[in-house]
Amino acid sequence: MNILIKPIITEKATADSELRNCYTFAVNTKANKVEIKKAVEAAYGVSVEKVRTINVRPERSTKYTKTGIQHGKTNAVKKAIVQLAEGEMIDLYSNM
C-alpha cells in the first residue's frame, strides 16, 4: 500500500511550512497516523512530532441535460498535516 500520494503545494500550505514547520500531504484514505508518520520519516529522513489528518468528502454535482439528469461526484481525499521537529525541514522543490 502506497501511503504518501503527493505533497500539497498551495499558498496556505507553503505559509504553514515556513511559519510552523508543518507540511501537507495527500495520503491513502485507509492510512492511519502511525503509518503516515513512518512513511514521512522513511521517505524524507526527518523526525515527525505530530500528525493531523483531514478527510475531505466528495463534492456532488447535478447536471440537467437533454438526455436527463446526470449525477456525478469527485473522489474522496485524505490529507495529512505533518509537524516536524524543531530545526528540521523538507525541501519539496529539489529535483530527485
Side-chain angles (χ1 to χ4, degrees), residues 1-50:
M1 177 168 80
N2 194 6
I3 295 172
L4 295 177
I5 298 173
K6 64 180 179 180
I8 296 175
I9 301 173
T10 59
E11 194 170 339
K12 184 177 179 180
T14 304
D16 209 22
S17 67
E18 292 172 355
L19 299 176
R20 297 183 193 88
N21 206 19
C22 295
Y23 296 88
T24 307
F25 295 94
V27 296
N28 191 334
T29 55
K30 300 201 184 289
N32 60 26
K33 292 183 181 184
V34 176
E35 293 172 341
I36 294 167
K37 179 178 178 177
K38 289 179 183 178
V40 171
E41 288 176 345
Y44 295 102
V46 294
S47 59
V48 176
E49 282 187 358
K50 188 190 294 186

Side-chain angles (χ1 to χ4, degrees), residues 66-77:
K66 288 190 285 187
T67 59
I69 299 174
Q70 302 291 321
H71 298 286
K73 69 178 184 76
T74 60
N75 291 332
V77 179

